[in-house]
Amino acid sequence: MPDSGIVANAAVTEDGFSYTVNSDSTATITGYSGNGGAVTLPSIINGKSVTSIGSHAFDGCDSLTSITIPDSVTSISSFAFNGCNSLTSITIPNSVTSIGDSAFYNCSSLTSITIPNSVTSIGKCAFQYCISLTNITIPSSVTSMGNCVFSGCDKLTNITLPNSLTSIGEWMFSCCKNLGSITIPSSVTSIGESAFNLCSSLVSINIPDGVTSIGEGAFRDCSSLAIVNLPDSINSIGDSVFSGCSSLANINIPYSVTSIRSYAFCGCSNLRSLKIPNSVISIGASAFSDCNRLKSVSIPNSVVSIGKNAFGYGINLYGYYKYSDFTIYGNSGTCAEVYAKDNKIKFIDNFAVKNDSEISANSVTANTAVTLTGKASDGTAPYTYAYYYKKSTDSAWTKLVTENGSAYVTASTQQFKPTSAGTYNIKINVKDQGGTVASKEFTVTVKASETTALTNNSTISTTSVKANTEVTLNGKATGGTSPYKFAYYYKKSTDSSWTKAYVTSSGSAYTKYDSVTFKPTSAGTYNVRINVKDQGGTGTMVSKEFTVKVTADTSALTNNSTVSATSVTAGTEVTMTGKAAGGTSPYKYAYYYKKSTESSWTKAYVTSSGSAYTKYDSKTFTPKTAGTYDVRINVRDEYGNGKTVTKDFTITVK
């Protein structure tokens, strides 16, 4: 607490708490000289409400095993519980809004802690070196976390960060050697220096769109990291960001990246595949050194600077990098060729990519598909293709297809269907691995099609089924002016209104899908209607109706439920899977378990309304001690309103 808020010298209570009185007549705990063990802080001292735990208040209290903080406290100051090596648990009330720097630094016996949703800030190093901490929940109320918060928590296995965070601080999870997974929220825009340094169990990381900067060494020596997804918001891969990630086999560098800094992928000994996009201008020193399995790289013409030893396999006995079995592909006269020659690396001059694309026809009737085939040679494979079209009277091109927001796709064929007469221009671009683009254009003359009446040729899969059996409705049309849209309806013949079998996100019954299903749930006669409209749903409409006879499903309800194992070790999760057949679906399940010596069952799942019956067809329970356990799975048909069938199992727990 700031000194200006203290108006009296420290006093000591009979329980060993030192405190001071603040200017607002509240009290701050400043020290403790009691016997330790399980300690409960007072909410009131000498008539003063305790509102804060001061800096170093319990610093080094080795005898303290647990502590309960009253809900009068709003802040835990820096180093408040620093070095409390015997502290195993702590209860933080909902009144606390801030946790100070190093508040629980080096609390080596603290195994878990729940941060209440009243907390908005966690200071730097707050839980650093809490080496027994295995899990922690961070609420969405937290908007800021300091550097090194969980650094050295080497038993921490997983953590989910709240959407309220915008940055991951420097060294925040450094040396969390058992951290196997982490979810970075979409709100994060920056990842600090060495944030995940030496997280050797981290297997994959998805960096969300919006992250614009990743600090130096952020994922350095994450030796198990095999999957990395980088967003298009990144413009630079910083110094040593993925250095020492020896499990990383390939990396997709987005086209937003303009620089790859020094040592960025140094020591990625399993890296085998690398594509440098034509957005990259510079590659730093030793950026890909010691990438032993990387045998070649294609460097685009955009690169104008390559640092010393950017590519190499290590240092031999003579102190030189080994390049004898490495190849650089590039264009003659570029920075890539100069670098290769200066370092005596094999260089292959790529000829400029050639566009050999073609189209299936230069003259067609309206609503007839034209096939566009992308073909390329020379340059550096693999190739990607971009397809465009426009009416010759239009000024702007239309992309025929996109992939992840880019006009360039891997598919080598696409179809274009002109809907009206006129002259159309078609353009196919080819891009090779080095980023070189070659364009080719075509002209297609489109004649007006002969107009025929719109015909509804729709069908259904059957006209006679049992209850709870799907019927497929197939929308088909000819004539008119394509494209077509379909609307699907059904009703019992005794009903007055139709039910839509499919509704789009905008609420329309008309869809481009030419097949949907509906499932009659009870016996009787059903009417089915399929409407078709041409011109994409804006033109003529033709309707077609069908009759479906539905008979009752009289087969007996059977309980086919299973358990994942009948013999396990204590503490091992057992999965109970509800399965049923016959009767009248849909089904609901209830899951119970008990020790065979017990008289009453325990519900493995209870709904919000208090019922044991649920639509979920799988639940788990974990027997804690050895013995024989009974497991029971009940099934009810018609969502729990019909017949009940029980099935029991016996689990032996060692």
Side-chain angles (χ1 to χ4, degrees), residues 171 173-176 194-200 217-222:
W171 303 88
F173 297 98
S174 176
C175 298
C176 291
S194 299
F196 297 93
N197 174 51
L198 283 169
C199 289
S200 53
F219 297 93
R220 180 170 44 212
D221 293 326
C222 291

Side-chain angles (χ1 to χ4, degrees), residues 588-603:
K588 276 195 174 183
Y589 308 93
Y591 305 88
Y592 308 88
Y593 66 90
K594 68 180 181 70
K595 240 184 174 178
S596 58
T597 55
E598 296 173 346
S599 59
S600 59
W601 294 90
T602 298
K603 298 174 183 176

Side-chain angles (χ1 to χ4, degrees), residues 192 327 344 366 377 412 504 620:
T327 302
K344 296 181 174 57
S377 57
S412 59
T504 68
T620 63

Side-chain angles (χ1 to χ4, degrees), residues 511-524:
T511 173
K512 64 182 179 180
Y513 296 125
D514 59 6
S515 177
V516 301
T517 62
F518 93 101
K519 184 187 289 186
T521 57
S522 59

Side-chain angles (χ1 to χ4, degrees), residues 449-492:
S449 59
E450 295 181 3
T451 303
T452 58
L454 176 65
T455 304
N456 190 334
N457 304 316
S458 301
T459 62
I460 60 175
S461 58
T462 182
T463 57
S464 179
V465 294
K466 285 187 176 182
N468 296 302
T469 303
E470 280 191 345
V471 178
T472 301
L473 284 55
N474 301 302
K476 297 180 181 179
T478 56
T481 305
S482 65
Y484 308 109
K485 279 195 173 183
F486 307 93
Y488 305 89
Y489 307 88
Y490 67 90
K491 70 180 181 72
K492 240 184 174 179

